[in-house]
Amino acid sequence: EQDSGSQQGLYFQDGSRRVDYILTYQIKKSGAFRKHPTRHGDNASKRSTKKDQPLPSQKNDPEIGEQNLSTDYHENDKRFRREEFEGHLLEAGLELEKDEDTKTYGIGFVKIHAPWHVLCREAEFMKLKMPTKKVYEVNHSNNFVEKINTFIYKVTEPLHPNLEEKRISSVKHLSYPFSREKQHLFDLSDKDCFFDSKTRSTIVYEILKRITCIKAKYTMGITSLLANGVYNAAYPLHDVSYFTDSDSLAVFSAALLYEEWASYSVFYKYQPIDLIRKYFGEKIGLYFAWLGVYTQMLIPASLVGIIVFLYGCATVDDDIPSMEMCDNRINITMCPLCDRTCSYWKLSTACAMARASHLFDNPATVFFSIFMALWAAMFMEHWKRRQMRLNYKWDLTGFEEEEDHPRAEYESRVMKKSMKKEHRKRKKHPEVVNEGTNKWKQTVETAMAGVKLTEKEKLTWRDRFPAYMTNAVMILFMIGLTFAIVFGVILYRISTAAALAMSSSPSTKSNVRVTVMATAVIINLVVILILDELYGYIARWLTLIEVPKTDKSFEERLIFKAFVLKFVNAFTPIMYVAFFKGRFIGRPGNYVYAFQSFRMEECAPGGCLMELCIQLSIIMLGKQLIQNNLFEIGIPKLKKLIRYFKSKRTSVPEEEHNKTLQRYEVDYYLEPFAGLTPEYMEMMIQFGFVTLFVASFPLAPLFALLNNIIEIRLDAKKFIAELRRPVAARAKDIGIWYNILRVVAKLAVIINAFVIAFTSDFIPRLVYLYMYSTDGSMHGFINHTLSYFNVSDFKSGTEPIEPMQLGYKVEICRFKDYREPPWSMNGYDISKEFWSVLAARLAFVIVFQNLVMVMSDFVDWLIPDIPKDISVQIHKEKVLMVELFLKEEQSKLQMLENLIAKGKEPKSMEK
């Protein structure tokens, strides 16, 4: 049914005028009225004058009558606004056609077509660059580079999508802002194709935003009309359904995109970026181009990460500290992990954790951290160059964003402010009003006065001060809530560990640490997923109450708030494990307690790096699988299903079932486009996972790469099959997201420096090797990092209930810290080894941070933002444009001289 319906509804009923845009509105379906469906012929742009008739049994019911009057008032008000708005659209030159006789019962559709003269006029107003007749050859920098590019293209040819124009073109049309006076410069041989569907819908949308209603109480553009329910939806049409036959794929953009981009069978191919831009516009085209570059750059990072991981696997049997921990002959008795219920334990029982820690805690991870910092710099420089190439290719080099139309909420707020001022002014200067004066006239005059005031009025910081205060308080509260939840999970870990230690089952006792860690990470993941959705709604609400003037300002403020909240939400549990767990626990006999009853938890004997790795991997994979993939697939399908069942439940006349869905009806049931913010946001958080703690999890780039290969096709399918077609928006860069990338990349250098210095054992091992080792090896390192504790120094009530669990009486136990032994003069004080290691750690942080920052800045300086061949081509375009206009002026002068000469010839002959 969709297959046949998708081919219909793309044109007006005359079959020649293309539908460029659709407006939908609710047709009254009150129970007190019987709606008579009307059919519209060629003159469908005129509104039907047929009235709704009340049912005879309902004429004398006063309650129903009041309901009907209220319904009538609201419906008439909406119809009045629609009539005025559509009248202005007709005055602007657009052509309209209505269709209320569709299978989508209760919904009316207004089809909009922009004729040629309107397209030309608006293209000139919008300064759209269009290709001229002039064609020039694109020269590469030198023959050697051209040969390399040709060779690379031939090698990677199977990876390119199967498009007619997939070969790199050596010629380019010279582009120039469209002008009606200079139409002869442009190739207008096929006027139907000169402005493509993306450009046509953009032009119509600009008109819809500009046209206003001023008679209906206050100024309203299309955004206000949508917000007030005058229209239900406004959207351009998809070119054709993706269910078409393979024979016609070459004709339709949407079907071609579905075949060569949105299909999982082409996951290994490059994206058809030019076709995406042609169909969805530059802004969405840049997002998918950026996602493609990011995914490609993850390939070398993944390979190096795999090599680092394999190095850890290959050297695990040669790691002396982990061998010492696993040696049962080294009889080291450790102090209890909790008060009373926990007993003494053998260090060798932590053998598996120690061996696993070496996979990620080895010298190669330091190299990988430096590599990833340089990788981030290379990625951003590569993207800037790629972005510049796309700007040149898409004729955006001279594009400057103009100030957008004010948002509907901003206009409404300014209107209220203007009306209040006008009201106060009238109170100060009361006018004598005759009793017979028409109240409606007064209301209109007041509204018109308000409209005039809004042109001068604007919202100041004083108007927004309550919103700013609410923002500050709510953001701090949400961050505090995140910290509180993390602290709650910490208390859960402590209490659960103590409870499991009391178990009579030996297997439960031996797996306490693993059980607690796994359950705590899952709880963290569930909380992160829930708070992520909650913070998204809160960030939008906080931005709405600020009432930003333009859509761009709204988007930037929303992005900032949402990113801060979601970043804190995703990384706070990981930050705790990396930098706080096991740092402030005290020592046996003098532990630190939370709420005087919960003893702070310790790191495992092998350090917290392994736990950090597990926490990072589960949260990263969980977010990607559940939130980014399942939610993206499931939620749009669920919403679509709900809308479908809602439409089924309505009382549809029998004849409606036999109709075929038109293209604009199929698109009506699709999910509205909500912007690119969610798409970018999940990639920014992922970029944080890849770079911020990469020292603890070298496989993070690999998992990000695998996710992105699916993500690209998933997003593509969503844009083609699940979402209404977005209005094409022009943009020359990815905006504020690039600044976020730079901040995360800089932050990654600092965090990785601290992870290597303070979370891993890299620095303590170096200090031991060069300062304390007797034979220049790592033998004795474990013993060096463990301090002694006399069990007689336990505080009363904290000693183990079962001290003989190991089969012998324990007098001295060990704990991980650098402290003086109990038999020294300063028993249990911090030893000089602690200060040596701390000094080395701080020195490493400073050296690592400055070294990597300098190297990153050097890469930034070394690689120019604009490729040399592109700067040459841009200069060449300017020269060719000047030559073109000089030739035009010369031809005009020549023509004028010829006309003057022809006028003089008859006069000379007369003489």
Side-chain angles (χ1 to χ4, degrees), residues 213-467:
C213 301
I214 57 172
K215 293 178 185 175
K217 295 189 182 179
Y218 52 88
T219 305
M220 297 186 78
I222 186 60
T223 50
S224 299
L225 293 171
L226 287 168
N228 286 272
V230 178
Y231 289 104
N232 286 355
Y235 52 90
L237 295 179
H238 281 290
D239 272 1
V240 74
S241 174
Y242 44 85
F243 294 109
T244 46
D245 298 330
S246 57
D247 296 338
S248 57
L249 283 179
V251 181
F252 304 105
S253 298
L256 185 58
L257 278 171
Y258 190 83
E259 184 74 14
E260 294 297 330
W261 179 47
S263 174
Y264 290 111
S265 62
V266 294
F267 73 93
Y268 60 92
K269 290 188 176 184
Y270 293 114
Q271 299 178 85
I273 295 298
D274 291 331
L275 193 60
I276 297 168
R277 172 253 177 179
K278 187 178 180 183
Y279 190 77
F280 289 112
E282 287 79 8
K283 194 169 185 178
I284 293 175
L286 280 172
Y287 163 70
F288 282 105
W290 174 84
L291 184 56
V293 168
Y294 172 47
T295 305
Q296 287 172 28
M297 288 293 291
L298 282 172
I299 295 172
S302 301
L303 292 174
V304 176
I306 292 169
I307 292 169
V308 168
F309 178 73
L310 292 176
Y311 170 81
C313 294
T315 57
V316 68
D317 292 330
D318 300 327
D319 183 50
I320 294 172
S322 61
M323 288 169 64
E324 286 185 349
M325 283 187 68
C326 295
D327 192 351
N328 290 319
R329 293 171 299 177
I330 303 175
N331 190 20
I332 297 179
T333 304
M334 301 296 293
C335 296
L337 294 172
C338 62
D339 292 343
R340 302 290 290 165
T341 55
C342 298
S343 186
Y344 305 104
W345 55 284
K346 292 283 188 181
L347 181 63
S348 57
T349 58
C351 172
M353 186 68 76
R355 287 174 65 85
S357 294
H358 179 75
L359 301 178
F360 305 99
D361 189 2
N362 55 70
T365 56
V366 180
F367 156 76
F368 191 56
S369 299
I370 297 171
F371 170 81
M372 286 303 293
L374 297 178
W375 172 87
M378 289 282 289
F379 160 59
M380 286 185 286
E381 289 304 309
H382 179 42
W383 166 244
K384 280 195 286 188
R385 290 168 65 84
R386 171 70 168 151
Q387 187 173 261
M388 200 62 215
R389 286 189 182 278
L390 292 175
N391 282 344
Y392 162 71
K393 195 174 184 180
W394 296 347
D395 299 317
L396 294 169
T397 47
F399 170 69
E400 293 295 333
E401 289 187 17
E402 297 178 0
E403 188 175 356
D404 203 357
H405 296 278
R407 298 175 65 250
E409 292 82 357
Y410 180 84
E411 285 186 333
S412 176
R413 180 77 175 272
V414 172
M415 173 64 69
K416 287 177 184 176
K417 183 180 178 182
S418 305
M419 298 285 277
K420 282 181 182 177
K421 278 194 174 183
E422 182 68 16
H423 185 65
R424 284 197 296 266
K425 185 179 175 183
R426 291 195 175 193
K427 272 191 173 182
K428 287 182 181 179
H429 307 286
E431 297 174 0
V432 179
V433 182
N434 295 328
E435 291 181 4
T437 305
N438 192 340
K439 285 188 177 181
W440 172 252
K441 186 178 179 182
Q442 286 182 24
T443 307
V444 171
E445 285 177 356
T446 306
M448 293 303 291
V451 169
K452 289 174 184 176
L453 279 170
T454 52
E455 295 173 3
K456 300 176 183 178
E457 201 68 58
K458 63 179 181 180
L459 295 182
T460 62
W461 69 270
R462 290 186 179 182
D463 299 316
R464 291 193 174 106
F465 183 73

Side-chain angles (χ1 to χ4, degrees), residues 834-852:
F834 172 85
W835 299 112
S836 301
V837 171
L838 180 63
R841 281 172 164 165
L842 293 175
F844 175 83
V845 168
I846 293 168
V847 172
F848 181 89
Q849 179 182 330
N850 286 284
L851 175 66
V852 174

Side-chain angles (χ1 to χ4, degrees), residues 442-634:
Q442 286 182 24
T443 307
V444 171
E445 285 177 356
T446 306
M448 293 303 291
V451 169
K452 289 174 184 176
L453 279 170
T454 52
E455 295 173 3
K456 300 176 183 178
E457 201 68 58
K458 63 179 181 180
L459 295 182
T460 62
W461 69 270
R462 290 186 179 182
D463 299 316
R464 291 193 174 106
F465 183 73
Y468 290 153
M469 286 299 296
T470 306
N471 269 260
V473 171
M474 282 297 294
I475 288 173
L476 290 174
F477 174 75
M478 290 297 114
I479 293 173
L481 175 65
T482 304
F483 291 161
I485 290 172
V486 170
F487 187 67
V489 174
I490 294 168
L491 296 182
Y492 161 80
R493 294 160 68 113
I494 296 167
S495 56
T496 306
L500 291 175
M502 296 171 65
S503 173
S504 58
S505 170
S507 61
T508 304
K509 281 189 174 183
S510 60
N511 294 312
V512 167
R513 193 181 292 275
V514 175
T515 306
V516 170
M517 183 169 58
T519 54
V521 171
I522 291 169
I523 291 170
N524 271 327
L525 175 62
V526 172
V527 168
I528 285 170
L529 293 176
I530 294 170
L531 289 184
D532 234 25
E533 298 301 315
L534 177 65
Y535 287 169
Y537 289 114
I538 289 172
R540 180 168 287 276
W541 174 71
L542 291 174
T543 311
L544 282 170
I545 64 173
E546 281 186 353
V547 197
K549 184 175 181 180
T550 62
D551 284 329
K552 184 181 178 182
S553 174
F554 178 88
E555 188 179 35
E556 288 181 349
R557 293 178 188 219
L558 173 62
I559 288 167
F560 174 75
K561 294 180 188 66
F563 179 76
V564 168
L565 290 174
K566 293 191 177 189
F567 183 87
V568 170
N569 180 41
F571 291 102
T572 300
I574 300 169
M575 291 275 190
Y576 162 72
V577 174
F579 302 125
F580 297 98
K581 185 179 178 182
R583 306 287 171 197
F584 312 103
I585 60 170
R587 61 168 179 83
N590 189 25
Y591 281 115
V592 176
Y593 291 87
F595 304 120
Q596 298 183 349
S597 57
F598 295 97
R599 184 178 126 187
M600 299 305 293
E601 57 183 344
E602 303 175 33
C603 286
C608 277
L609 196 74
M610 188 61 205
E611 187 173 342
L612 175 62
C613 171
I614 294 169
Q615 182 110 347
L616 182 67
S617 59
I618 291 178
I619 291 176
M620 179 182 178
L621 292 174
K623 271 183 68 67
Q624 288 184 165
L625 291 174
I626 298 171
Q627 191 175 41
N628 298 355
N629 293 332
L630 292 180
F631 282 12
E632 281 195 17
I633 296 169

